[in-house]
Amino acid sequence: MNFAAQVNQMIVNKYNLRKRITLHEFRKTHVSLCARADMKLEDIMCRVGHKDSKMTKQVYNYFYPVREERSADKFAQFIETEKDLF
């Protein structure tokens, strides 16, 4: 059993999981947590080794609606607090 398989088995045993988690599932979880943490798309792209953000968006786009809502909320708050600028 290689190192990755050993670590995976330790996680399965520690948390009483029903099945082993694939490396792809770990990767998707990592990307989703990065997106939820409001990391920039370009930073996530670099972390997972994509050459451009298009690939990251195509594969993981379903994580971004929440970020878009938060961005819209932040912008609305900015406009409300800085309405004297307009």
Side-chain angles (χ1 to χ4, degrees), residues 35-36 38 61-78:
R36 301 272 302 175
D38 275 338
N61 196 40
Y62 52 93
F63 295 128
Y64 287 93
V66 172
R67 283 186 62 202
E68 289 174 11
E69 285 179 27
R70 284 189 291 205
S71 295
D73 290 344
K74 284 181 183 179
F75 184 73
Q77 288 172 354
F78 168 77

Side-chain angles (χ1 to χ4, degrees), residues 42-69:
E42 292 78 17
D43 294 337
I44 297 172
M45 173 196 79
C46 289
R47 290 182 72 87
V48 297
H50 291 157
K51 291 182 181 178
D52 60 41
S53 61
K54 182 178 178 183
M55 172 61 103
T56 310
K57 286 180 186 177
Q58 286 176 340
V59 176
Y60 299 106
N61 196 40
Y62 52 93
F63 295 128
Y64 287 93
V66 172
R67 283 186 62 202
E68 289 174 11
E69 285 179 27

